[in-house]
Amino acid sequence: MTLDSSQFRRYQDWIRRDEAPRKIIAESEEQEVGCYLVRALVVECFDDPPTSDLVIFVPVASMVRETVSLDHGFGRFKSCPRTGNFVISTPGIGSEVSGAGPFEMLSVSLPWSTLRRSIESLIDEPLEHLPVALHNNGWHDDYTFRLLSELWRSVRIRSSSERLIIDELIIQITERLLWLGDVKLPQTKFNSVLERGKLMDVMDYIGEFSARPISLTELSQVAGCSQYHFSRLFKSSTGYSPMEYLIRDRVDRVQQTLRDHGELSLTSVAMQCGFADQSHMGRHFKRIVGLTPSRWREKASIGSAPRRRR
């Protein structure tokens, strides 16, 4: 089957039109990044046409014990659709799939053309697709499953404040898949860090624009290197990934705002400091500070609230 450029350019275009035995439960899309995620109840497995995307299929709720038969273009193999297992389609090649459900499936569709350019610049060689072993086997990797689940959560929030988090999760997913496929990635030297001037430029940029969406592309351009190298060098320089540093910067702003403007609602504080909502703010605030924002504000009002140290 050949890819018709006028149809099914993206996985989402096909899955929204297809009448296969599947019920869509929920779907989310990050248009700027180009990723599309959908959760669906699969009654019976079905073939997928060629798509320009790299699609990762992850059962998230399944009691099925029977295996599913698949062929992503490199010969048939079997995989059990149990929670946490996953298989990976081959961009530009249709998939033949047979087997019975029911099970709930999370499909994560990523733009292969963008990923391919990034990977090729990282490994300095052409790459038509991921290693065959990744497309020709069923996999189970707890770390990959956690990353995919977090990507689903972040995209579902539908907040531009999650842009950096989504960018970095996609890089982490890509690097993990390459590691599983035994692709040798360039090693960051033990003492490799960003030049101090570049590091200060990035920190100043985050400080200035913390309350609005920030992408990994923006930060890597400020640092003058690729996204992959920037992420590694920034963590070597600060001890934090870019997204964790941004979250901590926002938590600092929440503390300052709660101290200076105690009359503001927590919802207003969350929006002013770059979080998607009060719940999103509260989850990260308690993880980093050890208290809920409301409890911290109570302590701050009597002068006993602790300051978080970087």
Side-chain angles (χ1 to χ4, degrees):
M1 184 185 297
T2 58
L3 184 63
D4 182 348
S5 61
S6 66
Q7 290 184 320
F8 309 146
R9 294 179 181 175
R10 299 296 311 278
Y11 180 73
Q12 68 185 72
D13 295 332
W14 169 72
I15 201 169
R16 286 171 173 169
R17 300 175 187 175
D18 183 68
E19 296 181 358
R22 171 204 61 233
K23 178 182 178 182
I24 293 179
I25 299 172
E27 58 180 336
S28 292
E29 178 183 6
E30 172 48 67
Q31 293 183 343
E32 291 187 44
V33 177
C35 67
Y36 169 74
L37 300 92
V38 59
R39 292 178 74 140
L41 179 64
V42 178
V43 178
E44 182 179 349
C45 296
F46 48 89
D47 294 346
D48 290 356
T51 171
S52 58
D53 292 330
L54 178 77
V55 188
I56 307 169
F57 301 95
V58 191
V60 292
S62 172
M63 296 297 292
V64 175
R65 295 185 178 273
E66 300 298 323
T67 59
V68 172
S69 178
L70 308 99
D71 187 342
H72 291 161
F74 303 102
R76 300 198 74 80
F77 66 96
K78 294 183 180 294
S79 180
C80 183
R82 293 182 180 174
T83 302
N85 291 353
F86 62 92
V87 296
I88 308 170
S89 72
T90 308
I93 298 179
S95 299
E96 297 179 5
V97 189
S98 60
F103 52 87
E104 187 178 335
M105 177 78 75
L106 169 63
S107 300
V108 179
S109 169
L110 303 171
W112 174 243
S113 59
T114 303
L115 287 181
R116 180 178 180 176
R117 287 194 299 271
S118 298
I119 295 171
E120 288 178 341
S121 67
L122 180 66
I123 64 177
D124 196 27
E125 62 180 74
L127 187 73
E128 184 176 351
H129 50 69
L130 293 176
V132 171
L134 288 174
H135 298 298
N136 198 34
N137 283 286
W139 293 85
H140 184 97
D141 179 59
D142 290 336
Y143 181 62
T144 302
F145 182 67
R146 287 198 299 271
L147 291 175
L148 293 169
S149 299
E150 182 64 18
L151 181 62
W152 166 257
R153 187 204 65 78
S154 295
V155 175
R156 285 292 288 172
I157 288 178
R158 295 185 179 277
S159 167
S160 54
S161 67
E162 293 286 284
R163 174 62 193 275
L164 181 60
I165 296 174
I166 292 169
D167 285 347
E168 198 162 329
L169 282 170
I170 291 175
I171 281 185
Q172 291 175 6
I173 290 167
T174 304
E175 289 190 332
R176 185 64 174 184
L177 294 181
L178 292 173
W179 181 83
L180 290 173
D182 288 327
V183 176
K184 302 299 182 184
L185 298 177
Q187 296 296 311
T188 300
K189 294 181 180 179
F190 178 76
N191 60 349
S192 293
V193 294
L194 282 172
E195 295 178 11
R196 180 169 179 78
K198 293 294 186 182
L199 178 61
M200 295 307 298
D201 288 344
V202 172
M203 289 179 166
D204 288 345
Y205 190 91
I206 291 175
E208 182 176 357
F209 299 110
S210 177
R212 74 151 177 83
I214 298 177
S215 71
L216 197 59
T217 299
E218 291 176 63
L219 297 182
S220 62
Q221 288 174 347
V222 172
C225 56
S226 71
Q227 294 184 26
Y228 284 85
H229 291 300
F230 168 71
S231 293
R232 294 180 178 193
L233 292 174
F234 186 87
K235 186 169 185 178
S236 296
S237 303
T238 66
Y240 299 114
S241 68
M243 68 178 179
E244 180 64 14
Y245 184 89
L246 175 62
I247 289 170
R248 287 171 177 266
D249 185 84
R250 287 174 174 167
V251 167
D252 274 346
R253 290 173 179 272
V254 170
Q255 289 178 303
Q256 191 63 48
T257 303
L258 291 175
R259 180 178 283 109
D260 296 344
H261 304 283
E263 75 284 356
L264 289 177
S265 69
L266 292 179
T267 298
S268 296
V269 173
M271 298 301 291
Q272 286 186 23
C273 296
F275 288 102
D277 52 36
Q278 180 180 335
S279 175
H280 185 215
M281 175 183 72
R283 181 166 64 90
H284 287 298
F285 191 97
K286 186 172 182 180
R287 173 176 65 86
I288 293 170
V289 178
L291 298 170
T292 64
S294 58
R295 181 59 178 154
W296 189 92
R297 179 162 59 182
E298 290 175 6
K299 286 183 170 291
S301 66
I302 58 175
S304 59
R307 284 286 295 175
R308 182 183 64 78
R309 292 180 297 175
R310 284 198 182 280

